[in-house]
Structures are given as C-alpha cells and as structure tokens.
Amino acid sequence: MSGWSRADRLAARLNLLAVAVLAAAGLACAEMPATPPATVGQRTAPDDSDLWNLAPAGADTLADVDLATLRASPWTRALMQSDPSGQREQSRRSYGYDPFTDGDRLVAVAVESGGATRELTILRGRFDAAQVGAAFGAANASATAGRWRDSPLWEAGGRAVALVTPRTLVTGGPAEVRAAIDAAWGIVPDAKTGPLGELRRAMAADRDAPALFVGVNVTDALRARAAGFVALPAGLQRVAARVNLGQDLNLDFTGVADSAADATAAANALVSAARSYAQGTMIRLLGLSPILNGLTVGAEGTWLHGHVEIPVEQRERLADKILAVLQMVAAARH
C-alpha cells in the first residue's frame, strides 16, 4: 500500500476543512465547559466506543465525520452515493475496504511537530481482516504482519494499518498507529484531554454528536497554509465548527482568542469576510450569498460565537449544484 489509501486522502481533505469553514462562514462559541474531561486510566481492553479515545491528545486538527448520517440525510445522500471519479471499487480492491460504503464514522487527525505534519485516520465500520492484510501485502512486497496489544497490524515503507478492534481500523505512520492503539487501551492520553476536547465539550459535541465536527489549533503552520486563501484573525488560538443535518442545515462555530479585544476584532472581521465572499461569482451561482449574508458572529470575553442556517427550501437546489460542481471537477481530471 505505497502512498496514501483512499481513507488517508479523505483525511487530508478533512484536515484542511477548517480553512474552508473559516472562509465560507465564520466562527462561534458556546459557554466554557461545565465539567472537565474524565480521567482516563489503563483499560482491560481497547475502548473504541468513542473514536476520540484513539486520537492523540496533541492533535492540531481533528475532523469527526458521521458517515452513516451523511449517507442517510437528504442533505448529503446524493453526494455520498455519487462516485464521480469511479474509485470506490478500486479502493476496495486496493485497500480491502472503502470508507464511504464500509465506514460508519471517521476521525481524521493531524499533528504538527518540527515543521512536519503527522496524520492518522480512524475509521469505524465493517472490515475483513484477511482482505485488509491481503490488500496491504499485495501493494507492498516488503510488508510485515504482526500484532500490537492483540490488534493485527501491517506495516511497510513508513505506513501502517491496524484493526484496533474488528470494527475499528486505523491508518497512518507506524508510530501513530501504535499510539492510537495505546490510547484505546488508556495507556497514553487521548484527544478528549487536549484543547480540541475542550472545544468539543463546549459545543456539546461529546454528548450530542453532529454529522460533522471540526476542531483546529491555529498554529503558525496553519496560518502559513491559509495565507493565500483566507486571512486568519490575529490572536485566534483555536476554532471548531459543528454541522447538524435536520430539517434545516445548521452550522455552529466556536473560537477562542488571546484577549477580549482580539475576540471582538475577529468577530467583526469574520462578518466582513462573509459579506465579501457573498459577492463571489461561484458563491452567487451556488445560491450561498443569502446564507453568508445571514451569518451572525458575536464575542463574549475571549470566546467567539456564531451561527449559519440553510433552510430546507434550499436543500435540493443547493445539493444539485454542489454535485454538478464535483462532477465537473472529476471530469476535468480525466
């Protein structure tokens, strides 16, 4: 399995989603969490009941995606069913699974350290260990099979894949995959204890899981990557967004700044940016201008808060246009 698997590529796209969220809408916040995260102790078995149990505490970007909800929701069903690049069967043959059809929940993680980005993908779904191992071995002549804390693990060429439990698969660098298994056992801290876990609790995403949650530490590296796309407000420490797919589509945003003045300035800048983006040609063609113009962003102390809503009346038209854009992009690649 040289290079990235389909799940890895999906993880990389999700890890950049925060920048797109900032550009398309804004930020928001909820009250500070009332209770601290539970202290994790070593377990007698790996706990994958919450995929955050497997994510590293030092995560800088984390995207938590409910794939089952995306497949079922009228908002996203067509996007999940479409395969404009024709890669799903190829993915299953090459990697032993396809995240879009075999997965029910996905957590994509990036950790920035020493100028490099380390990535990990955690996928819960339906897997056949023999197929996963055979696909990895077929793509890597030097692949080795082993176990780490009772979990089957395959690695080669600086990449690894493991089944932490029969229903939960992790891919990434060998060290990251082993650390994910250790975290599932409670041997090392997980992402719930880190700063992104605080944002998750602040938005009640730990108790009421949304269709999509994205949390980001605003590092210098992120600012550099975003520079040509969107100007991130000064003093912004970290941000998160959650998407709820009900009758209407609701996006709520959370952010923490260095000071109250920074929070107020960021709120004002984000409203201005949303109004500016609303004038873009593609945004107007997609019918998103009224939505961006309806963005509300406020500040309370060092926290930001805001909300965007897309009414059900716009669902079919918007979904059709987004699907058409994706099909055009896929066609241009061939």
Side-chain angles (χ1 to χ4, degrees):
M1 191 184 297
S2 60
W4 284 3
S5 73
R6 184 172 175 81
D8 294 323
R9 291 193 299 271
L10 176 61
R13 290 194 294 271
L14 290 170
N15 285 336
L16 295 175
L17 181 59
V19 176
V21 167
L22 290 172
L27 306 170
C29 88
E31 295 296 328
M32 291 290 289
T35 57
T39 302
V40 177
Q42 188 166 343
R43 305 178 177 112
T44 58
D47 182 1
D48 63 351
S49 59
D50 182 351
L51 295 189
W52 284 60
N53 287 350
L54 286 72
D60 288 305
T61 303
L62 190 152
D64 185 348
V65 187
D66 189 334
L67 296 171
T69 292
L70 297 185
R71 286 195 295 267
S73 172
W75 283 97
T76 50
R77 186 185 302 131
L79 294 175
M80 293 295 290
Q81 291 174 346
S82 67
D83 186 14
S85 299
Q87 294 181 350
R88 293 195 176 178
E89 284 306 314
Q90 179 62 37
S91 176
R92 189 171 286 107
R93 289 192 298 269
S94 299
Y95 310 115
Y97 63 92
D98 175 63
F100 289 98
T101 54
D102 297 327
D104 291 330
R105 194 166 199 96
L106 181 146
V107 169
V109 185
V111 180
E112 297 176 1
S113 176
T117 301
R118 295 176 286 115
E119 295 173 338
L120 178 76
T121 303
I122 308 164
L123 184 66
R124 178 190 294 153
R126 293 157 296 283
F127 308 103
D128 184 309
Q131 291 181 6
V132 172
F136 192 95
N140 297 275
S142 61
T144 60
R147 304 186 74 84
W148 186 257
R149 304 196 188 284
D150 297 332
S151 295
L153 180 148
W154 302 265
E155 61 181 294
R159 301 296 298 171
V161 58
L163 284 168
V164 182
T165 70
R167 69 173 186 172
T168 301
L169 178 146
V170 294
T171 64
E176 287 69 46
V177 168
R178 286 181 170 84
I181 298 173
D182 289 346
W185 281 84
I187 295 171
V188 297
D190 57 47
K192 297 194 304 295
T193 65
L196 298 186
E198 179 189 35
L199 291 181
R200 186 193 191 203
R201 294 188 300 278
M203 302 195 79
D206 56 334
R207 304 186 302 274
D208 177 23
L212 171 66
F213 176 90
V214 179
V216 181
N217 285 324
V218 183
T219 62
D220 291 340
L222 177 63
R223 288 185 180 278
R225 288 198 300 272
F229 185 52
V230 59
L232 299 181
L236 191 62
Q237 295 179 4
R238 56 191 185 276
V239 297
R242 62 174 292 160
V243 177
N244 295 314
L245 299 176
Q247 186 76 354
D248 301 324
L249 186 153
N250 287 276
L251 296 90
D252 292 285
F253 305 88
T254 296
V256 182
D258 289 334
S259 68
D262 286 331
T264 299
N268 294 334
L270 290 165
V271 171
S272 297
R275 303 295 186 267
S276 176
Y277 281 117
Q279 304 305 312
T281 301
M282 183 59 70
I283 294 298
R284 287 188 282 109
L285 288 175
L286 290 174
L288 293 174
S289 294
I291 296 166
L292 290 181
N293 286 327
L295 168 71
T296 60
V297 185
E300 184 177 359
T302 60
W303 287 70
L304 308 174
H305 58 87
H307 179 75
V308 179
E309 179 177 315
I310 305 177
V312 65
E313 292 79 13
Q314 298 189 34
R315 183 177 65 205
E316 185 173 349
R317 175 182 55 78
L318 182 59
D320 288 345
K321 289 185 176 181
I322 293 176
L323 181 58
V325 170
L326 292 178
Q327 290 170 338
M328 289 172 57
V329 171
R333 291 179 177 175
H334 293 286

mmCIF file with all atom_site columns, all heavy atoms in Angstrom, residues 176-199:
data_model
loop_
_atom_site.group_PDB
_atom_site.id
_atom_site.type_symbol
_atom_site.label_atom_id
_atom_site.label_alt_id
_atom_site.label_comp_id
_atom_site.label_asym_id
_atom_site.label_entity_id
_atom_site.label_seq_id
_atom_site.pdbx_PDB_ins_code
_atom_site.Cartn_x
_atom_site.Cartn_y
_atom_site.Cartn_z
_atom_site.occupancy
_atom_site.B_iso_or_equiv
_atom_site.pdbx_formal_charge
_atom_site.auth_seq_id
_atom_site.auth_comp_id
_atom_site.auth_asym_id
_atom_site.auth_atom_id
_atom_site.pdbx_PDB_model_num
ATOM 1   N N   . GLU A 1 176 ? 2.306   6.389  14.844 1.00 0.00 ? 176 GLU A N   1
ATOM 2   C CA  . GLU A 1 176 ? 0.981   6.954  15.113 1.00 0.00 ? 176 GLU A CA  1
ATOM 3   C C   . GLU A 1 176 ? -0.056  5.855  15.282 1.00 0.00 ? 176 GLU A C   1
ATOM 4   O O   . GLU A 1 176 ? -0.948  5.951  16.132 1.00 0.00 ? 176 GLU A O   1
ATOM 5   C CB  . GLU A 1 176 ? 0.568   7.902  13.978 1.00 0.00 ? 176 GLU A CB  1
ATOM 6   C CG  . GLU A 1 176 ? 1.294   9.228  13.965 1.00 0.00 ? 176 GLU A CG  1
ATOM 7   C CD  . GLU A 1 176 ? 2.761   9.082  13.592 1.00 0.00 ? 176 GLU A CD  1
ATOM 8   O OE1 . GLU A 1 176 ? 3.067   8.356  12.607 1.00 0.00 ? 176 GLU A OE1 1
ATOM 9   O OE2 . GLU A 1 176 ? 3.614   9.684  14.285 1.00 0.00 ? 176 GLU A OE2 1
ATOM 10  N N   . VAL A 1 177 ? 0.040   4.804  14.487 1.00 0.00 ? 177 VAL A N   1
ATOM 11  C CA  . VAL A 1 177 ? -0.914  3.693  14.593 1.00 0.00 ? 177 VAL A CA  1
ATOM 12  C C   . VAL A 1 177 ? -0.757  2.978  15.930 1.00 0.00 ? 177 VAL A C   1
ATOM 13  O O   . VAL A 1 177 ? -1.742  2.674  16.618 1.00 0.00 ? 177 VAL A O   1
ATOM 14  C CB  . VAL A 1 177 ? -0.733  2.723  13.414 1.00 0.00 ? 177 VAL A CB  1
ATOM 15  C CG1 . VAL A 1 177 ? -1.486  1.417  13.657 1.00 0.00 ? 177 VAL A CG1 1
ATOM 16  C CG2 . VAL A 1 177 ? -1.215  3.371  12.118 1.00 0.00 ? 177 VAL A CG2 1
ATOM 17  N N   . ARG A 1 178 ? 0.485   2.729  16.349 1.00 0.00 ? 178 ARG A N   1
ATOM 18  C CA  . ARG A 1 178 ? 0.700   2.081  17.643 1.00 0.00 ? 178 ARG A CA  1
ATOM 19  C C   . ARG A 1 178 ? 0.217   2.978  18.794 1.00 0.00 ? 178 ARG A C   1
ATOM 20  O O   . ARG A 1 178 ? -0.372  2.488  19.766 1.00 0.00 ? 178 ARG A O   1
ATOM 21  C CB  . ARG A 1 178 ? 2.178   1.741  17.828 1.00 0.00 ? 178 ARG A CB  1
ATOM 22  C CG  . ARG A 1 178 ? 2.648   0.551  16.989 1.00 0.00 ? 178 ARG A CG  1
ATOM 23  C CD  . ARG A 1 178 ? 4.131   0.250  17.232 1.00 0.00 ? 178 ARG A CD  1
ATOM 24  N NE  . ARG A 1 178 ? 4.524   -1.010 16.628 1.00 0.00 ? 178 ARG A NE  1
ATOM 25  C CZ  . ARG A 1 178 ? 4.871   -1.151 15.349 1.00 0.00 ? 178 ARG A CZ  1
ATOM 26  N NH1 . ARG A 1 178 ? 4.878   -0.092 14.551 1.00 0.00 ? 178 ARG A NH1 1
ATOM 27  N NH2 . ARG A 1 178 ? 5.211   -2.340 14.871 1.00 0.00 ? 178 ARG A NH2 1
ATOM 28  N N   . ALA A 1 179 ? 0.446   4.295  18.658 1.00 0.00 ? 179 ALA A N   1
ATOM 29  C CA  . ALA A 1 179 ? -0.006  5.218  19.695 1.00 0.00 ? 179 ALA A CA  1
ATOM 30  C C   . ALA A 1 179 ? -1.528  5.244  19.785 1.00 0.00 ? 179 ALA A C   1
ATOM 31  O O   . ALA A 1 179 ? -2.086  5.389  20.882 1.00 0.00 ? 179 ALA A O   1
ATOM 32  C CB  . ALA A 1 179 ? 0.528   6.622  19.421 1.00 0.00 ? 179 ALA A CB  1
ATOM 33  N N   . ALA A 1 180 ? -2.208  5.106  18.654 1.00 0.00 ? 180 ALA A N   1
ATOM 34  C CA  . ALA A 1 180 ? -3.670  5.064  18.671 1.00 0.00 ? 180 ALA A CA  1
ATOM 35  C C   . ALA A 1 180 ? -4.172  3.839  19.429 1.00 0.00 ? 180 ALA A C   1
ATOM 36  O O   . ALA A 1 180 ? -5.144  3.914  20.189 1.00 0.00 ? 180 ALA A O   1
ATOM 37  C CB  . ALA A 1 180 ? -4.208  5.064  17.244 1.00 0.00 ? 180 ALA A CB  1
ATOM 38  N N   . ILE A 1 181 ? -3.506  2.721  19.223 1.00 0.00 ? 181 ILE A N   1
ATOM 39  C CA  . ILE A 1 181 ? -3.878  1.506  19.964 1.00 0.00 ? 181 ILE A CA  1
ATOM 40  C C   . ILE A 1 181 ? -3.608  1.704  21.450 1.00 0.00 ? 181 ILE A C   1
ATOM 41  O O   . ILE A 1 181 ? -4.443  1.344  22.303 1.00 0.00 ? 181 ILE A O   1
ATOM 42  C CB  . ILE A 1 181 ? -3.110  0.291  19.408 1.00 0.00 ? 181 ILE A CB  1
ATOM 43  C CG1 . ILE A 1 181 ? -3.493  0.055  17.940 1.00 0.00 ? 181 ILE A CG1 1
ATOM 44  C CG2 . ILE A 1 181 ? -3.399  -0.954 20.247 1.00 0.00 ? 181 ILE A CG2 1
ATOM 45  C CD1 . ILE A 1 181 ? -2.655  -1.013 17.253 1.00 0.00 ? 181 ILE A CD1 1
ATOM 46  N N   . ASP A 1 182 ? -2.460  2.296  21.790 1.00 0.00 ? 182 ASP A N   1
ATOM 47  C CA  . ASP A 1 182 ? -2.145  2.565  23.193 1.00 0.00 ? 182 ASP A CA  1
ATOM 48  C C   . ASP A 1 182 ? -3.206  3.476  23.825 1.00 0.00 ? 182 ASP A C   1
ATOM 49  O O   . ASP A 1 182 ? -3.616  3.278  24.974 1.00 0.00 ? 182 ASP A O   1
ATOM 50  C CB  . ASP A 1 182 ? -0.774  3.225  23.312 1.00 0.00 ? 182 ASP A CB  1
ATOM 51  C CG  . ASP A 1 182 ? 0.363   2.264  23.014 1.00 0.00 ? 182 ASP A CG  1
ATOM 52  O OD1 . ASP A 1 182 ? 0.125   1.040  22.969 1.00 0.00 ? 182 ASP A OD1 1
ATOM 53  O OD2 . ASP A 1 182 ? 1.497   2.752  22.810 1.00 0.00 ? 182 ASP A OD2 1
ATOM 54  N N   . ALA A 1 183 ? -3.638  4.497  23.075 1.00 0.00 ? 183 ALA A N   1
ATOM 55  C CA  . ALA A 1 183 ? -4.653  5.411  23.596 1.00 0.00 ? 183 ALA A CA  1
ATOM 56  C C   . ALA A 1 183 ? -5.970  4.690  23.821 1.00 0.00 ? 183 ALA A C   1
ATOM 57  O O   . ALA A 1 183 ? -6.679  4.958  24.800 1.00 0.00 ? 183 ALA A O   1
ATOM 58  C CB  . ALA A 1 183 ? -4.846  6.582  22.642 1.00 0.00 ? 183 ALA A CB  1
ATOM 59  N N   . ALA A 1 184 ? -6.321  3.769  22.929 1.00 0.00 ? 184 ALA A N   1
ATOM 60  C CA  . ALA A 1 184 ? -7.557  2.999  23.099 1.00 0.00 ? 184 ALA A CA  1
ATOM 61  C C   . ALA A 1 184 ? -7.521  2.165  24.374 1.00 0.00 ? 184 ALA A C   1
ATOM 62  O O   . ALA A 1 184 ? -8.554  1.946  25.011 1.00 0.00 ? 184 ALA A O   1
ATOM 63  C CB  . ALA A 1 184 ? -7.786  2.107  21.883 1.00 0.00 ? 184 ALA A CB  1
ATOM 64  N N   . TRP A 1 185 ? -6.328  1.736  24.757 1.00 0.00 ? 185 TRP A N   1
ATOM 65  C CA  . TRP A 1 185 ? -6.157  0.974  25.993 1.00 0.00 ? 185 TRP A CA  1
ATOM 66  C C   . TRP A 1 185 ? -6.057  1.885  27.217 1.00 0.00 ? 185 TRP A C   1
ATOM 67  O O   . TRP A 1 185 ? -5.975  1.407  28.349 1.00 0.00 ? 185 TRP A O   1
ATOM 68  C CB  . TRP A 1 185 ? -4.905  0.100  25.909 1.00 0.00 ? 185 TRP A CB  1
ATOM 69  C CG  . TRP A 1 185 ? -5.091  -1.168 25.118 1.00 0.00 ? 185 TRP A CG  1
ATOM 70  C CD1 . TRP A 1 185 ? -4.997  -1.331 23.772 1.00 0.00 ? 185 TRP A CD1 1
ATOM 71  C CD2 . TRP A 1 185 ? -5.398  -2.465 25.649 1.00 0.00 ? 185 TRP A CD2 1
ATOM 72  N NE1 . TRP A 1 185 ? -5.223  -2.633 23.424 1.00 0.00 ? 185 TRP A NE1 1
ATOM 73  C CE2 . TRP A 1 185 ? -5.472  -3.360 24.561 1.00 0.00 ? 185 TRP A CE2 1
ATOM 74  C CE3 . TRP A 1 185 ? -5.611  -2.956 26.937 1.00 0.00 ? 185 TRP A CE3 1
ATOM 75  C CZ2 . TRP A 1 185 ? -5.767  -4.709 24.717 1.00 0.00 ? 185 TRP A CZ2 1
ATOM 76  C CZ3 . TRP A 1 185 ? -5.892  -4.303 27.095 1.00 0.00 ? 185 TRP A CZ3 1
ATOM 77  C CH2 . TRP A 1 185 ? -5.978  -5.170 26.001 1.00 0.00 ? 185 TRP A CH2 1
ATOM 78  N N   . GLY A 1 186 ? -5.996  3.194  27.016 1.00 0.00 ? 186 GLY A N   1
ATOM 79  C CA  . GLY A 1 186 ? -5.866  4.123  28.133 1.00 0.00 ? 186 GLY A CA  1
ATOM 80  C C   . GLY A 1 186 ? -4.463  4.255  28.654 1.00 0.00 ? 186 GLY A C   1
ATOM 81  O O   . GLY A 1 186 ? -4.251  4.781  29.761 1.00 0.00 ? 186 GLY A O   1
ATOM 82  N N   . ILE A 1 187 ? -3.484  3.819  27.869 1.00 0.00 ? 187 ILE A N   1
ATOM 83  C CA  . ILE A 1 187 ? -2.096  3.855  28.311 1.00 0.00 ? 187 ILE A CA  1
ATOM 84  C C   . ILE A 1 187 ? -1.502  5.249  28.139 1.00 0.00 ? 187 ILE A C   1
ATOM 85  O O   . ILE A 1 187 ? -0.652  5.682  28.915 1.00 0.00 ? 187 ILE A O   1
ATOM 86  C CB  . ILE A 1 187 ? -1.278  2.796  27.541 1.00 0.00 ? 187 ILE A CB  1
ATOM 87  C CG1 . ILE A 1 187 ? -1.789  1.393  27.911 1.00 0.00 ? 187 ILE A CG1 1
ATOM 88  C CG2 . ILE A 1 187 ? 0.215   2.919  27.831 1.00 0.00 ? 187 ILE A CG2 1
ATOM 89  C CD1 . ILE A 1 187 ? -1.213  0.288  27.046 1.00 0.00 ? 187 ILE A CD1 1
ATOM 90  N N   . VAL A 1 188 ? -1.936  5.971  27.098 1.00 0.00 ? 188 VAL A N   1
ATOM 91  C CA  . VAL A 1 188 ? -1.487  7.344  26.856 1.00 0.00 ? 188 VAL A CA  1
ATOM 92  C C   . VAL A 1 188 ? -2.719  8.231  26.744 1.00 0.00 ? 188 VAL A C   1
ATOM 93  O O   . VAL A 1 188 ? -3.818  7.757  26.444 1.00 0.00 ? 188 VAL A O   1
ATOM 94  C CB  . VAL A 1 188 ? -0.628  7.433  25.568 1.00 0.00 ? 188 VAL A CB  1
ATOM 95  C CG1 . VAL A 1 188 ? 0.636   6.602  25.706 1.00 0.00 ? 188 VAL A CG1 1
ATOM 96  C CG2 . VAL A 1 188 ? -1.435  7.000  24.345 1.00 0.00 ? 188 VAL A CG2 1
ATOM 97  N N   . PRO A 1 189 ? -2.586  9.549  26.982 1.00 0.00 ? 189 PRO A N   1
ATOM 98  C CA  . PRO A 1 189 ? -3.748  10.448 26.896 1.00 0.00 ? 189 PRO A CA  1
ATOM 99  C C   . PRO A 1 189 ? -4.321  10.493 25.489 1.00 0.00 ? 189 PRO A C   1
ATOM 100 O O   . PRO A 1 189 ? -3.609  10.301 24.500 1.00 0.00 ? 189 PRO A O   1
ATOM 101 C CB  . PRO A 1 189 ? -3.167  11.806 27.308 1.00 0.00 ? 189 PRO A CB  1
ATOM 102 C CG  . PRO A 1 189 ? -1.912  11.496 28.046 1.00 0.00 ? 189 PRO A CG  1
ATOM 103 C CD  . PRO A 1 189 ? -1.368  10.251 27.428 1.00 0.00 ? 189 PRO A CD  1
ATOM 104 N N   . ASP A 1 190 ? -5.624  10.760 25.405 1.00 0.00 ? 190 ASP A N   1
ATOM 105 C CA  . ASP A 1 190 ? -6.279  10.873 24.108 1.00 0.00 ? 190 ASP A CA  1
ATOM 106 C C   . ASP A 1 190 ? -6.749  12.306 23.885 1.00 0.00 ? 190 ASP A C   1
ATOM 107 O O   . ASP A 1 190 ? -6.560  13.188 24.733 1.00 0.00 ? 190 ASP A O   1
ATOM 108 C CB  . ASP A 1 190 ? -7.444  9.883  24.003 1.00 0.00 ? 190 ASP A CB  1
ATOM 109 C CG  . ASP A 1 190 ? -8.484  10.065 25.098 1.00 0.00 ? 190 ASP A CG  1
ATOM 110 O OD1 . ASP A 1 190 ? -8.881  11.218 25.348 1.00 0.00 ? 190 ASP A OD1 1
ATOM 111 O OD2 . ASP A 1 190 ? -8.895  9.064  25.710 1.00 0.00 ? 190 ASP A OD2 1
ATOM 112 N N   . ALA A 1 191 ? -7.369  12.545 22.738 1.00 0.00 ? 191 ALA A N   1
ATOM 113 C CA  . ALA A 1 191 ? -7.730  13.909 22.334 1.00 0.00 ? 191 ALA A CA  1
ATOM 114 C C   . ALA A 1 191 ? -8.779  14.542 23.236 1.00 0.00 ? 191 ALA A C   1
ATOM 115 O O   . ALA A 1 191 ? -8.899  15.774 23.262 1.00 0.00 ? 191 ALA A O   1
ATOM 116 C CB  . ALA A 1 191 ? -8.221  13.904 20.885 1.00 0.00 ? 191 ALA A CB  1
ATOM 117 N N   . LYS A 1 192 ? -9.532  13.758 23.973 1.00 0.00 ? 192 LYS A N   1
ATOM 118 C CA  . LYS A 1 192 ? -10.550 14.338 24.863 1.00 0.00 ? 192 LYS A CA  1
ATOM 119 C C   . LYS A 1 192 ? -9.916  15.202 25.938 1.00 0.00 ? 192 LYS A C   1
ATOM 120 O O   . LYS A 1 192 ? -10.546 16.130 26.443 1.00 0.00 ? 192 LYS A O   1
ATOM 121 C CB  . LYS A 1 192 ? -11.386 13.225 25.508 1.00 0.00 ? 192 LYS A CB  1
ATOM 122 C CG  . LYS A 1 192 ? -12.186 12.387 24.535 1.00 0.00 ? 192 LYS A CG  1
ATOM 123 C CD  . LYS A 1 192 ? -13.239 11.555 25.236 1.00 0.00 ? 192 LYS A CD  1
ATOM 124 C CE  . LYS A 1 192 ? -12.655 10.668 26.325 1.00 0.00 ? 192 LYS A CE  1
ATOM 125 N NZ  . LYS A 1 192 ? -11.749 9.630  25.753 1.00 0.00 ? 192 LYS A NZ  1
ATOM 126 N N   . THR A 1 193 ? -8.661  14.908 26.288 1.00 0.00 ? 193 THR A N   1
ATOM 127 C CA  . THR A 1 193 ? -7.990  15.658 27.355 1.00 0.00 ? 193 THR A CA  1
ATOM 128 C C   . THR A 1 193 ? -7.256  16.889 26.835 1.00 0.00 ? 193 THR A C   1
ATOM 129 O O   . THR A 1 193 ? -6.744  17.674 27.625 1.00 0.00 ? 193 THR A O   1
ATOM 130 C CB  . THR A 1 193 ? -6.974  14.754 28.085 1.00 0.00 ? 193 THR A CB  1
ATOM 131 O OG1 . THR A 1 193 ? -5.928  14.376 27.166 1.00 0.00 ? 193 THR A OG1 1
ATOM 132 C CG2 . THR A 1 193 ? -7.645  13.490 28.599 1.00 0.00 ? 193 THR A CG2 1
ATOM 133 N N   . GLY A 1 194 ? -7.194  17.059 25.506 1.00 0.00 ? 194 GLY A N   1
ATOM 134 C CA  . GLY A 1 194 ? -6.471  18.166 24.918 1.00 0.00 ? 194 GLY A CA  1
ATOM 135 C C   . GLY A 1 194 ? -7.346  19.376 24.655 1.00 0.00 ? 194 GLY A C   1
ATOM 136 O O   . GLY A 1 194 ? -8.553  19.382 24.948 1.00 0.00 ? 194 GLY A O   1
ATOM 137 N N   . PRO A 1 195 ? -6.779  20.443 24.078 1.00 0.00 ? 195 PRO A N   1
ATOM 138 C CA  . PRO A 1 195 ? -7.541  21.672 23.833 1.00 0.00 ? 195 PRO A CA  1
ATOM 139 C C   . PRO A 1 195 ? -8.699  21.491 22.866 1.00 0.00 ? 195 PRO A C   1
ATOM 140 O O   . PRO A 1 195 ? -9.721  22.166 22.990 1.00 0.00 ? 195 PRO A O   1
ATOM 141 C CB  . PRO A 1 195 ? -6.483  22.636 23.270 1.00 0.00 ? 195 PRO A CB  1
ATOM 142 C CG  . PRO A 1 195 ? -5.355  21.768 22.814 1.00 0.00 ? 195 PRO A CG  1
ATOM 143 C CD  . PRO A 1 195 ? -5.363  20.590 23.708 1.00 0.00 ? 195 PRO A CD  1
ATOM 144 N N   . LEU A 1 196 ? -8.575  20.568 21.905 1.00 0.00 ? 196 LEU A N   1
ATOM 145 C CA  . LEU A 1 196 ? -9.700  20.340 20.993 1.00 0.00 ? 196 LEU A CA  1
ATOM 146 C C   . LEU A 1 196 ? -10.830 19.602 21.704 1.00 0.00 ? 196 LEU A C   1
ATOM 147 O O   . LEU A 1 196 ? -12.007 19.778 21.354 1.00 0.00 ? 196 LEU A O   1
ATOM 148 C CB  . LEU A 1 196 ? -9.242  19.562 19.757 1.00 0.00 ? 196 LEU A CB  1
ATOM 149 C CG  . LEU A 1 196 ? -8.186  20.254 18.891 1.00 0.00 ? 196 LEU A CG  1
ATOM 150 C CD1 . LEU A 1 196 ? -7.932  19.456 17.617 1.00 0.00 ? 196 LEU A CD1 1
ATOM 151 C CD2 . LEU A 1 196 ? -8.598  21.677 18.560 1.00 0.00 ? 196 LEU A CD2 1
ATOM 152 N N   . GLY A 1 197 ? -10.492 18.810 22.696 1.00 0.00 ? 197 GLY A N   1
ATOM 153 C CA  . GLY A 1 197 ? -11.528 18.174 23.508 1.00 0.00 ? 197 GLY A CA  1
ATOM 154 C C   . GLY A 1 197 ? -12.334 19.199 24.284 1.00 0.00 ? 197 GLY A C   1
ATOM 155 O O   . GLY A 1 197 ? -13.547 19.045 24.482 1.00 0.00 ? 197 GLY A O   1
ATOM 156 N N   . GLU A 1 198 ? -11.664 20.293 24.725 1.00 0.00 ? 198 GLU A N   1
ATOM 157 C CA  . GLU A 1 198 ? -12.369 21.371 25.405 1.00 0.00 ? 198 GLU A CA  1
ATOM 158 C C   . GLU A 1 198 ? -13.395 22.015 24.474 1.00 0.00 ? 198 GLU A C   1
ATOM 159 O O   . GLU A 1 198 ? -14.543 22.278 24.867 1.00 0.00 ? 198 GLU A O   1
ATOM 160 C CB  . GLU A 1 198 ? -11.378 22.421 25.891 1.00 0.00 ? 198 GLU A CB  1
ATOM 161 C CG  . GLU A 1 198 ? -12.043 23.606 26.591 1.00 0.00 ? 198 GLU A CG  1
ATOM 162 C CD  . GLU A 1 198 ? -11.068 24.733 26.878 1.00 0.00 ? 198 GLU A CD  1
ATOM 163 O OE1 . GLU A 1 198 ? -10.151 24.958 26.061 1.00 0.00 ? 198 GLU A OE1 1
ATOM 164 O OE2 . GLU A 1 198 ? -11.229 25.391 27.903 1.00 0.00 ? 198 GLU A OE2 1
ATOM 165 N N   . LEU A 1 199 ? -13.006 22.253 23.227 1.00 0.00 ? 199 LEU A N   1
ATOM 166 C CA  . LEU A 1 199 ? -13.948 22.821 22.266 1.00 0.00 ? 199 LEU A CA  1
ATOM 167 C C   . LEU A 1 199 ? -15.110 21.865 21.999 1.00 0.00 ? 199 LEU A C   1
ATOM 168 O O   . LEU A 1 199 ? -16.259 22.283 21.855 1.00 0.00 ? 199 LEU A O   1
ATOM 169 C CB  . LEU A 1 199 ? -13.231 23.136 20.958 1.00 0.00 ? 199 LEU A CB  1
ATOM 170 C CG  . LEU A 1 199 ? -12.224 24.280 20.964 1.00 0.00 ? 199 LEU A CG  1
ATOM 171 C CD1 . LEU A 1 199 ? -11.625 24.459 19.586 1.00 0.00 ? 199 LEU A CD1 1
ATOM 172 C CD2 . LEU A 1 199 ? -12.859 25.568 21.446 1.00 0.00 ? 199 LEU A CD2 1
#
